[in-house]
Amino acid sequence: MDKTKEGLLDGKFQYKTLPDGSVDKTKVICAFCKAEFNYHRSNSSLAYHLKSKNTPPKTISTGPRQCKLQECVRGKMTRSVSDKVMNALVIWIAKNCRPVNIVDDDGLRDIIRTASGDASYNMPSRGTIMSKIHTLYDDEKAQRMNTLQQATHIALTGDHWTSVSNDNYLGITAHFVDKEWKLHSFALTVSKTEERQYAEACADHFLDVAREWKIEDKLSTLGTDSARNMVAAARLLPFEHLPCTAHILQRTVTVSIHGSGFESVLAKCRKIVGHFKHSPSNAHELMEQQVACGQKQEPLVQDVTTRWNSTLEMVKRIQRNKSPLTTTLAQQKSNVAMLTTQELAKLQKLDSAM
């Protein structure tokens, strides 16, 4: 583009045109007030003139454009709406286990500003959110306690588990049927425990929770898995013990398989699954073969003794992916061998039995 015709400061000043049609680059003329200025390759004085003497007229839009956030403001958020937004944040953080410092996220703040139309909205502080969470917990606990006081008989279920960070937790849930024969079930506690999971310690945990919720005189049944410490703890308590039927069934299946003729076939299946689970490149090649065979892309499943139905799911997926597995292992020239026809027939029998 010809800079002579374009002018200076986005066209707000033009070079002076002489009578013979030539351009004098030492003189410029303001496009608004037509004032003439000497130009010495500096825009400072020209910019000062625009700021102090002239207000450029509004430009006429030549087409659609995206409006700025400030232009979309419908008004400042009222106190009641602001409180509703904060309460919704508190419930979301508490129920979905979000970190409290998420209120420092600028993206979340901008989303709320856009949705509410209040460009001046600021997120509540971490301290405010924590205070609201504690208040919410106290209110919910009071409601649950009032509901439990109306029950005649209450059953508890409890279980210990270990987190991925190797911390031990105990969860206890209450169950009862009200006068209208409606079942109520809700958690009483999920607490971190420090001591070893001996029977006496487990029994004390159940009693402590019952006393905290003031329901020790209403307890009739205690449900746990069949772990030895839990069974021993139940014997120390004056309640009827009801072992978990699903846990018993799972243990029955795993013990039966361990002493059957399927163990060698399942060991070979675990080796195949591990070959693809522990290598992203191997898993990617398997998925490519699944697409080539017209099948759905799905990862293999490793069976775990304590994970219900995991053995059955491992067997099913290997059977569904027989062709992709055979082709992929052959192309990789891996030491891991695919199941033989006889072994696949065994898996089919195990699938039917389970």
Side-chain angles (χ1 to χ4, degrees):
M1 180 180 292
D2 188 352
K3 296 292 183 180
T4 301
K5 295 181 179 180
E6 182 183 4
L8 302 172
L9 296 179
D10 297 328
K12 297 180 177 64
F13 288 89
Q14 299 290 337
Y15 291 110
K16 181 178 181 181
T17 304
L18 300 177
D20 59 358
S22 61
V23 176
D24 184 1
K25 292 188 177 182
T26 63
K27 304 285 185 181
V28 292
I29 297 175
C30 177
F32 305 116
C33 64
K34 305 304 179 183
E36 183 176 318
F37 298 90
N38 293 324
Y39 179 63
H40 304 288
R41 298 180 180 272
S42 174
N43 296 335
S44 301
S45 60
L46 305 182
Y48 177 78
H49 170 76
L50 286 177
K51 184 176 180 180
S52 61
K53 301 295 183 180
N54 295 294
T55 300
K58 294 182 179 179
T59 57
I60 301 176
S61 176
T62 57
R65 67 177 180 86
Q66 183 178 4
C67 64
K68 297 181 179 179
L69 178 62
Q70 291 79 0
E71 297 173 348
C72 300
V73 173
R74 296 190 298 270
K76 187 174 178 61
M77 193 184 301
T78 62
R79 179 64 180 270
S80 62
V81 175
S82 179
D83 290 341
K84 288 181 180 180
V85 172
M86 182 167 59
N87 290 334
L89 279 171
V90 170
I91 294 173
W92 173 57
I93 291 173
K95 292 182 66 174
N96 293 275
C97 299
R98 301 298 178 186
V100 177
N101 63 0
I102 200 170
V103 296
D104 298 331
D105 188 275
D106 293 339
L108 179 60
R109 180 203 61 196
D110 291 341
I111 289 175
I112 296 178
R113 286 182 174 182
T114 302
S116 64
D118 183 359
S120 63
Y121 175 80
N122 289 316
M123 301 286 286
S125 65
R126 299 187 196 182
T128 301
I129 292 295
M130 286 303 303
S131 176
K132 290 288 185 179
I133 288 177
H134 289 305
T135 302
L136 177 64
Y137 173 81
D138 293 337
D139 292 344
E140 288 290 329
K141 183 177 180 179
Q143 294 179 14
R144 300 296 187 185
M145 189 171 290
N146 181 60
T147 303
L148 288 173
Q149 294 307 313
Q150 301 175 17
T152 305
H153 301 286
I154 299 174
L156 294 182
T157 56
D159 190 22
H160 276 283
W161 75 90
T162 303
S163 68
V164 293
S165 58
N166 206 32
D167 292 322
N168 184 49
Y169 290 89
L170 171 67
I172 298 178
T173 303
H175 314 269
F176 69 93
V177 177
D178 62 17
K179 296 180 180 179
E180 299 179 354
W181 289 93
K182 181 180 178 181
L183 176 63
H184 296 264
S185 297
F186 48 82
L188 299 183
T189 184
V190 178
S191 55
K192 184 178 179 180
T193 57
E194 302 292 343
E195 65 275 7
R196 295 183 181 275
Q197 301 176 20
Y198 293 131
E200 293 80 5
C202 295
D204 289 340
H205 284 311
F206 282 106
L207 290 176
D208 290 341
V209 172
R211 294 191 190 101
E212 179 185 354
W213 289 82
K214 301 178 182 179
I215 57 173
E216 61 269 24
D217 59 334
K218 298 183 178 183
L219 294 183
S220 60
T221 308
L222 177 63
T224 68
D225 58 21
S226 298
R228 292 182 179 181
N229 60 335
M230 284 297 190
V231 174
R235 293 196 186 103
L236 299 175
L237 297 173
F239 316 123
E240 180 182 357
H241 182 223
L242 183 64
C244 176
T245 304
H247 188 268
I248 293 174
L249 180 60
Q250 171 68 12
R251 288 290 300 153
T252 302
V253 171
T254 54
V255 171
S256 300
I257 291 176
H258 184 70
S260 67
F262 296 106
E263 189 61 30
S264 60
V265 179
L266 290 175
K268 195 170 182 179
C269 290
R270 296 185 189 105
K271 192 172 183 179
I272 293 173
V273 174
H275 174 74
F276 291 98
K277 277 284 186 181
H278 301 151
S279 172
S281 59
N282 290 344
H284 180 70
E285 291 177 10
L286 176 60
M287 289 187 176
E288 288 181 342
Q289 284 300 323
Q290 288 172 338
V291 173
C293 294
Q295 295 182 205
K296 175 185 175 182
Q297 285 186 327
E298 59 179 356
L300 301 179
V301 172
Q302 183 74 66
D303 72 329
V304 180
T305 304
T306 56
R307 187 177 300 160
W308 297 358
N309 291 332
S310 60
T311 302
L312 177 60
E313 190 60 30
M314 179 182 71
V315 170
K316 285 182 175 294
R317 296 208 182 188
I318 287 181
Q319 286 181 311
R320 284 200 300 265
N321 292 279
K322 178 178 64 175
S323 296
L325 283 171
T326 302
T327 304
T328 304
L329 290 174
Q331 290 178 349
Q332 292 177 346
K333 297 180 181 180
S334 171
N335 294 328
V336 178
M338 181 56 185
L339 298 172
T340 64
T341 304
Q342 292 79 8
E343 289 170 335
L344 287 170
K346 270 191 174 183
L347 281 189
Q348 181 60 48
K349 292 179 181 180
L350 179 61
D351 186 359
S352 301
M354 295 180 68

